[in-house]
Each structure stands twice: as C-alpha cells, then as structure tokens.
Amino acid sequence: MAHVEKSTCRSCAAYCPVNVTIDGGRVTKVEGNPDAPLYKGFICPKGRALATMHNNPGRLKTSLKRQSDGSYTPISSSQLVAEISAKIGQLIEDHGPRSVGAFLGSPGLEHQALGPIMMRFMDAIGSPSMFNNGTIDQPGFMIAPALHGSWAGGRMHPDTLDVFMIIGGNPVISKQYFPQHPGNQLKSLIAGGMKLIVIDPRRTETARRAAVHLQCIPGEDPTIVAGLIHLIIDMGAVDQDFVQNNTRGFDELKAAVRDFTPDYVARRAGIEEEDLKEAARIIAESKRGDFGSGTGPSMATRGTLMSYLLYNLQTLRGFWAREGENAAMPRVLFPPQEFKAQPNPPYPAWGFGEKMRVRGLQQTAAGMPLGALPEEILTPGEGQIRALFLHGGAMIAWPEQDLVKQALESLELLVVHDVEFSATARMADYVIATRMQFEVPIMSQINEMLSLFHPGYGWIEPYGAYQPALFEPPPDSDLMEPWQIYYRVAQSLDLNLKYPSISDLLGIAAHGSDTENESPMMDMANEPSTDELYEMMCAGSAVPLSSVKRYPNGHLFDEARKTVQPRDPDCKARLELANETMLDELGQVRAQPLEERRAKNADYPFLFIPRRIQNSTNVVSSTDRSVLKTTYNPAYMNPGDLDLLGLSSGDKVEIRSQHGAIIGFVEAENDLRPGVLSMTHGFGKNPGDDYDPKRDGANVNRLTSWTDDYDPYHGMPRMGAIPVAVTAIRDA
Ligand code: SF4
C-alpha cells in the first residue's frame, strides 16, 4: 500500500520540501510539498529525479578497496576503519599531521554532520590541511565583507525592494537569492514594482525578466560596477547621511572611479552607454535595493575586486536594513543574533593562518586556497600532503583535470565517499559506500550556516525544518555515513573529538580567529547517532531542535523574528570604501589594454563561459542523466558565429584553449552574445576512460589551468572568460 512521507531534497542548497511516495519499500514518486511554508510545492526536475536516484541499481552497498592490479574488492566497514587508521597514524608519525588533508564539497549538504566531525577530527590530529569548495566557487563574495566590513542590520528584505541587481548569476536556475520557487518570486516582486537589473553575457532565464540587461563581454564585471559607482556619484545619488555616518574612504573611491566614464565602460564592456545610464538611473531612483552575484564574475578572475566594488555601490546607496525594520534571515537553528543598524568593521581577508608552500597563497576568509591543493600534493618536501579524505567530485568539478588526476594518483592514501562508483571514486584507495539522502535525517541548519558566508543562501524568513530518515539502508548492505569515518578513525587512534557545536566551529572558520570557546569533549566510547549529533550541532539555537521537529512540513517560527536595533552609542566602526589593495587593482584594470586583459587573439577568438542548467548541479551523476535533455553538454554559440565558422547545430567541434582541448557539439542560441561559447560544467569522464562525447559530454575544466591567471588573494583559477578556438571535426 503506497503512503506519503515528508522529507527535503538535498541535491542543492535550495532545500525544497518534498512529499515522497513509498510503495513496497521503494520510492515511486517525489513531488514538491504544497503544505510547506514559503515553497508552495516548488520542486525542480532534479528533485523529482530523487526517486530514480534512490532506486539507483548501481548504488554501492559495501565499501571498496583498490587492489594492486587496480581492481576493487568489497571491504567491511570495520576492516576499512582499521586499515585507514593504521595508514593515517603512520603518516602522522613519519611526516607530521599536515600530511593528512581533507576536502569538503557539495556532499556536505546531504550529510550535515560530516563537516563538523571532519573539522573536529582535523583539529584533533593537528592538521591545518582542510579545504572546501568555497575557494573555487565565489570566494570574492565571502572575502569582500572582510575588506569592506559588513552591516550588522543585514540586508533589506526582498519583499520591500525597488531594485535588485544580479551580476553573472542566474537565480531562476541556480536558486540563489530566491530559492523558494525563484521564477514565481521574481515574477511577483516585479509585478509589485521591483526593477531587476541583470549583467550577463547571456540573456538567461533571469535576464528575460529584467528591466535592464547589460549583455557584456565576459570578465568586464568590475568595469561595469566601477562605471555604476562613477555614475551614482556623478548623479548626486550617494546617500550622504549614510556614507558620512558609517564609512571612510569616499574621496579615494571617487578618485579611483573617475576614469570609468560611461563612454569608456560601454566601449570596454561592449554594452550600450544608454543602457548603463538607465541601470544607474534605476539604482539612483530606488529607495531600497539589494545586489548579488553568481559564479560568473568569480570564474572570470577579478571576482574579489568585483565583489568589493559591489559592496561599495550598495553602501553608497545606503541599501542596508535600518533601525526598526524586520531583520532578514533571523536565526532559527543557530544561536540568536542581534541585528543592529551599525557597521561591523573589516577583518582579515587573507594572509593569516596556514601558509601554502606554493605561490605564496595562504588561508583566507573563504577558507584555505583549494587552488594550491594539487601542487601541495605534488610538491615534495616537508609538509607535503600525502593522504586525502575527499568528499566531492574532484575529477569532474575541479580545474585542470589532468593535474588533478596526477595529484590524486600520487597520494599514498585517497579516501572517497560515494553512493556509486563515480569518476572520482575510481581514483580512490578506499571508497566508502554511504547512505542515500532519504536514509539520513535532515535539518535546516546547514542553509542558515551558508547564509553567513553568502547572502544568496538561507531563508529570509525564520524557517526551520527537520525530517527523520525515511529508510534504513538495504539489509544486505554495509554502509557508513561519511562522518563516521572520522569518528571511528579518531577512536582507533585514541583521539578525543570536541563537541561539534556549529557556532563554536564557526567562531574559528568565519573570521580566521584562533580563539575558540571552550567546547566539551564527545563521548568516544559510545558512538552517537546522527540525530544525537544534530542535537549537539544545534546547541544554544534560537529555536530548540525539539520544537522544529514538531512540524513535519517545516515551519515559520515567529518567535525567532528580529527587529533591527538602534546603533550602539559607542559604535565607532566604519565600512571601508577605499581598501588600498582593491583600489590598486582597479587602477591596474583601467591601465590594462583590453586584449591583454582577456588574452583573446586571432588564435583564440571566442570566450568560453560556464552556464547552469536546471537538471544538474556541479557534477552530473548517472541518475541525473535520466532528466537531462541531452546526455552531453552542448556548446552553445550565437548563430552568427556558427555561420561565420560554417557550422550548424549538432556539428562536432574541437574547443581548444591555451591549456587543453575538448570535443563538443555546437548548438545555436540567439540569447548568447556573439563571440561567446557557453557550456555547462560537471560532464565528462576521467582521462583514459572509455569515452563517447555524445554520451558522456565534455569536461570543460580541461580548458583551465590551476596556475595560469589565478586570483592572487585566494588562488581561484580562471574558469570562465577563457579564450578558445573552435574548429569543425568532420568525421570520415
Ligand atoms: S531546486 Fe531542485 S535540486 Fe535544488 S533542492 Fe529544490 S528540488 Fe532539489
């Protein structure tokens, strides 16, 4: 007899509530939950595909160990823990704790206890070598508040906005900023009078709704934002009271943008001067606004500069929540936060904490620079990383796939967790077979945590949700949750782990401080359940987890709402408008010849940019393919460019950058700016694998390089606005 259970999709950070139909112990349907607040039953095709994903016939039911001939054989969980513990213990003894590294990527969304226990484990062994995907995604947006300072009153509530501007992002597909049914949210906000401004080389699903779309040359986002600042100052639209009372550095900023005249910006960015002025006019006439960005500007390099300038523009207009307003994003499963109409001062953005052994990179406000990890693995000497716990699709999602392969192959120990034998799992010494998302309880805390680092995540309203695991693992399986590897290896090495309270942990991670509240130790004799870990993670939360558990559809907790309080009388903090490093870099942008900036020439006449698609997130799994329009990732180009090259939709081409080449199939797209080629990340296979470009798609990261043209502050390599050549392949 079929019945319906409540749960949440964890395939991306939108965290949509779902109704799961179960019949005969199998998931037969996954739909949006119409009774959940905020979402109104929203779900995307990937969420609906959770039924296929859960019933994946290729799922791993036991962990695997690689043999000397490269084959894999099953290994029990207890034996796996014993062997990994022995190896880790030996490496620490021989080479010190820094030789053990860990990476946490998107799987942290499905396995929320993983991150906290991993951090406690790395702390217990004394290794600083912990990396996350923040430094190859949008690190600039996490670092900019450190340079600029932040507003303790938070952002203005979206329902009250006159203008929202998004740069290099596509919220309708990415779900950032408007995660609860983004299309409908934007539609109703625009119907209510909000003006949308989009800056993007492509007329995206979001740009189609925009009042102004600046369809710029890829990589010119800092130029445009500097131009908007120039215009806002020129139009006398600076919020003088706000700037006078809360900032410093206005005159230096004004001087730095003086030469970003509308004419120059329009020529440089390839946009119409009148459109730029119209965008500035909308911003100038709006009383309330908010600005955001997606991965586009970060991937095109200079993402830190663009993000910093965007914060400055927002501050010049005073677009921050004021005293007496309802605070956006009040805490629910985090300790309560007081919102105040005052600045938080800047804090260290980079150059603190652990130093990398390569390229002078160092820890940042966005985490350790992942851009250094492959070299840290491959560079011999003291401090070399020799073992890696890897939670994420490195082989498909990381830049320069060949170097990643070389680095992972050179490790003395590589441990990966996965539900299927993925491209990255095929590189591992041990593959931990783990639970599917409906086999793990879910709570909403992680999205609140993400909102601390990026305003595009989290819930504007005080939303909280918890649902229990819907299934026990299959009876013939021997699975581990990813956090258990750390707990059990710690047990085996006689290490004690501190209590995984998220707020304590973020006291370290958020600002690079090395001071930590005193945390009690976990009971290392009696392994906790995941539910017990969730209780520990929510210690001191604004709403007790036990209260959240009473609402199977999720709930808005009015008692957690906050009002922005007045400024402290003794508050002397100021927002920084003239960070010296950023304004120097802006000067370099202005001085640099265009062609040098983009490195485009007759040999590489097009610019590659990444794009989101509705049916996959960062890495396409075997089950994702069931909901893709094509199993591969087409190479979209403007029809005029295809004509010039004598190509038609469906033609096979080689796409070559200075760093590598891939095979693609072109597809005409009127919405794309001429001179641009656009493909989705997350496709392809490992080098040397049986490969069919039409079946598997192309890994666009083969066009990239970790070490060429990277952001100097956090090391993120150029992953967009990459000069490429396109050549027809005429199969015989
Ligand atoms: S947007 Fe789609 S993938 Fe993301 S949580 Fe919602 S249903 Fe899942």
Side-chain angles (χ1 to χ4, degrees), residues 9 35 51 63 106 116 127 130 138 279 297-298 305 314 318 363 399 405 411 425 511 517 524 526 562 590 687 702:
C9 174
D35 300 321
S63 297
S106 302
S127 173
M130 179 158 171
Q138 296 177 59
S298 287
L305 175 62
Q314 188 146 346
Q363 193 173 343
K405 181 168 188 271
L411 286 163
H511 303 297
N517 300 338
M524 298 304 291
N526 301 294
K562 293 281 180 184
R590 185 64 178 82
R702 291 189 188 177

Side-chain angles (χ1 to χ4, degrees), residues 318-332:
F319 285 165
W320 300 109
R322 306 300 178 89
E323 180 183 341
E325 293 185 14
N326 284 333
M329 297 186 177
R331 306 282 174 248
V332 175

Side-chain angles (χ1 to χ4, degrees), residues 109 191 236 300 314 386 405 440 448 503 582 590 606 660 672 701 714:
L109 289 173
Q314 188 146 346
R386 296 163 186 269
K405 181 168 188 271
V440 181
E448 282 190 58
S503 50
M582 291 292 99
R590 185 64 178 82
F606 297 96
L672 202 55
N701 285 323
H714 47 68

Side-chain angles (χ1 to χ4, degrees), residues 9-12 14-16 42-44 46-47 175:
C9 174
R10 290 148 257 186
S11 295
C12 86
Y15 257 47
C16 299
F42 173 72
I43 189 173
C44 82
K46 200 171 177 204
K175 321 294 185 301

Side-chain angles (χ1 to χ4, degrees), residues 420-652:
E420 62 181 22
F421 199 41
S422 64
T424 302
R426 286 170 206 278
M427 304 298 298
D429 296 299
Y430 296 92
V431 184
I432 302 171
T434 193
R435 294 185 176 215
M436 311 288 277
Q437 53 177 277
F438 289 148
E439 294 165 354
V440 181
I442 169 268
M443 64 170 177
S444 51
Q445 188 196 50
I446 192 154
N447 240 357
E448 282 190 58
M449 187 200 74
L450 292 176
S451 72
L452 299 181
F453 299 100
H454 193 298
Y457 297 109
W459 290 276
I460 298 294
E461 305 293 343
Y463 175 82
Y466 166 92
Q467 286 108 12
L470 300 185
F471 295 91
E472 283 300 316
D476 54 344
S477 65
D478 176 9
L479 309 178
M480 288 171 71
E481 285 198 55
W483 66 263
Q484 288 175 313
I485 187 68
Y486 298 102
Y487 182 89
R488 292 178 186 178
V489 171
Q491 269 183 326
S492 184
L493 296 176
D494 281 333
L495 295 168
N496 291 311
L497 300 185
K498 283 184 181 169
Y499 211 69
S501 154
I502 289 280
S503 50
D504 284 356
L505 283 160
L506 291 182
I508 307 167
H511 303 297
S513 157
D514 55 9
T515 56
E516 186 183 355
N517 300 338
E518 263 317 302
S519 295
M521 292 295 178
M522 289 178 70
D523 179 352
M524 298 304 291
N526 301 294
E527 183 173 298
S529 66
T530 301
D531 273 315
E532 286 167 337
L533 282 177
Y534 285 3
E535 291 288 350
M536 296 179 207
M537 289 160 63
C538 292
S541 58
V543 178
L545 183 57
S546 55
S547 301
V548 174
K549 285 181 175 179
R550 289 207 291 269
Y551 301 92
N553 295 311
H555 188 67
L556 295 180
F557 292 89
D558 285 331
E559 65 270 35
R561 291 188 190 280
K562 293 281 180 184
T563 302
V564 180
Q565 299 299 308
R567 183 187 185 107
D568 288 337
D570 58 349
C571 173
K572 298 210 166 31
R574 297 252 153 187
L575 300 173
E576 178 62 69
L577 296 173
N579 176 274
E580 207 179 322
T581 310
M582 291 292 99
L583 295 196
D584 277 356
E585 187 179 343
L586 186 61
Q588 290 162 25
V589 170
R590 185 64 178 82
Q592 200 169 31
L594 269 185
E595 292 311 310
E596 187 188 324
R597 159 80 181 99
R598 295 199 304 272
K600 195 172 118 172
N601 56 40
D603 292 335
Y604 300 100
F606 297 96
L607 287 172
F608 158 79
I609 60 167
R611 66 195 278 141
R612 301 264 188 180
I613 52 172
Q614 184 75 287
N615 301 342
S616 79
T617 308
N618 292 326
V619 173
V620 176
S621 71
S622 63
T623 42
D624 285 346
R625 290 180 194 277
S626 64
V627 290
L628 293 173
K629 280 191 187 138
T630 57
T631 56
Y632 63 96
N633 46 342
Y636 291 97
M637 296 182 75
N638 185 279
D641 289 335
L642 290 183
D643 285 347
L644 284 174
L645 294 171
L647 293 169
S648 304
S649 287
D651 282 353
K652 189 176 182 180

